[in-house]
Amino acid sequence: MYGKCGSLHDARSVFDRMFQCNSVSWNAIIASYAQNGNGRKALELFRQMQLKDIAPDKITFISIFTACSCQEAIGLGKLAHAFAASNGFESDVCLGNALIGMYGRCGTIKDAWRVFLMMPERNAVSWTVMIAGYCQHGHSREALQLFQHMQKEGVKPDKVTFISILEACTDHSDLAQGRLIHSGIVASGTELDVVVGTAIVSMYSRCESLEDAHRIFQKMPERSVVSWNAMISGYSQHGQSKDALQLFYQMQQEGVNPDKVTFISILDA
């Protein structure tokens, strides 16, 4: 409970006072640190768990792969991968998804792709995590090709997939592809989701179709500060300073508090 709420001190205090810790207890404390951005501590606890002769399970490895989320930790991540494989966990779909995510975050896309190809079973998360890895490291063409392959395989994208693949549409040459993805979003019924809507606005802005971006922005039943920032930034980046400033004033009139990203966009205008 404490770990899920971000109270790592309380979580660790309860763990240290436990008379006997089993794999469930170790998994809980390791996951708490991993999920709250303290990968180093999660890895230290993983080593302690091994010294106590407590066998890690699938949940342990998923947490460890989450903890190895930067280039500096890739060596430890690969060791954990080898350890998981030697314990017979490599064919598990959830573990495979966590591995793809780890390699993607660390920038070793070839390793992520290798894991993806070797998976005996894949779900929508598997495809989405691989697509996100490509997008995060500028491999837009590969991401779009994989998205098309996903659909040919009959795997239905969810809103996380759509948010990820929209990132692959980076300039005007991707506008037609972006519109196809948008039509798929409409068909899926997720267009009105605030995060998805914001991603669509951002996509149209990057693709220099500000009329489309503004139309989607206006249709959104709910807007977050990120939604406003996406539209203001789109105007600023394409030289429409007057529209950016007008939208900034409208944002304040509607009681939405600007953040530092808003001010950076406005200063660019």
Side-chain angles (χ1 to χ4, degrees):
M1 177 193 75
Y2 287 123
K4 288 180 181 178
C5 295
S7 183
L8 295 178
H9 176 77
D10 290 326
R12 185 59 188 268
S13 179
V14 170
F15 177 80
D16 288 340
R17 291 202 306 268
M18 293 179 72
F19 178 72
Q20 187 174 6
C21 296
N22 56 20
S23 61
V24 176
S25 313
W26 283 95
N27 286 346
I29 191 65
I30 289 170
S32 295
Y33 281 106
Q35 291 166 7
N36 285 283
N38 197 333
R40 187 182 298 275
K41 200 68 180 178
L43 291 167
E44 287 177 9
L45 284 162
F46 179 58
R47 293 190 193 98
Q48 291 176 29
M49 179 182 183
Q50 292 174 288
L51 291 172
K52 297 279 187 181
D53 288 327
I54 297 175
D57 58 18
K58 177 178 79 172
I59 305 300
T60 319
F61 285 116
I62 289 172
S63 295
I64 291 304
F65 297 147
T66 301
C68 298
S69 58
C70 62
Q71 185 62 45
E72 292 76 16
I74 189 60
L76 289 170
K78 286 185 174 181
L79 283 173
H81 180 185
F83 192 14
S86 68
N87 281 270
F89 293 115
E90 194 172 31
S91 62
D92 182 87
V93 66
C94 293
L95 200 74
N97 293 344
L99 269 171
I100 295 168
M102 178 192 75
Y103 285 126
R105 290 189 299 273
C106 292
T108 55
I109 297 298
K110 287 183 179 179
D111 288 319
W113 179 241
R114 191 176 300 114
V115 172
F116 180 83
L117 286 179
M118 289 177 63
M119 291 176 73
E121 177 190 355
R122 304 183 194 111
N123 57 19
V125 176
S126 315
W127 293 85
T128 299
V129 175
M130 191 66 238
I131 288 168
Y134 277 137
C135 291
Q136 287 165 12
H137 297 284
H139 299 285
S140 299
R141 299 278 77 76
E142 290 87 347
L144 289 166
Q145 287 170 4
L146 191 62
F147 179 67
Q148 291 168 359
H149 187 193
M150 175 185 184
Q151 292 176 298
K152 287 177 183 176
E153 291 281 318
V155 182
K156 287 187 177 180
D158 59 18
K159 73 175 187 178
V160 181
T161 318
F162 285 125
I163 291 165
S164 297
I165 196 58
L166 285 168
E167 288 291 327
C169 301
T170 57
D171 57 38
H172 184 69
S173 65
D174 296 320
L175 181 57
Q177 184 66 56
R179 284 187 169 138
L180 279 174
I181 295 167
H182 182 191
S183 66
I185 291 170
V186 173
S188 74
T190 58
E191 185 188 28
L192 300 181
D193 178 271
V194 65
V195 182
V196 176
T198 301
I200 298 170
V201 171
S202 295
M203 180 273 293
Y204 279 126
S205 296
R206 288 193 303 273
C207 294
E208 303 175 30
S209 183
L210 294 178
E211 287 186 8
D212 284 319
H214 187 253
R215 178 173 54 81
I216 298 303
F217 180 80
Q218 290 293 96
K219 280 176 61 178
M220 292 175 70
E222 178 189 356
R223 305 183 193 113
S224 66
V225 66
V226 181
S227 313
W228 289 89
N229 289 348
M231 194 65 247
I232 290 170
S233 175
Y235 281 136
S236 297
Q237 289 171 4
H238 296 290
Q240 296 186 212
S241 302
K242 184 178 178 181
D243 292 316
L245 289 167
Q246 286 178 343
L247 198 61
F248 177 63
Y249 295 137
Q250 182 186 339
M251 175 185 186
Q252 293 175 296
Q253 288 171 353
E254 292 196 17
V256 181
N257 292 323
D259 60 14
K260 65 179 182 180
V261 177
T262 321
F263 288 116
I264 290 169
S265 297
I266 284 297
L267 288 171
D268 284 342

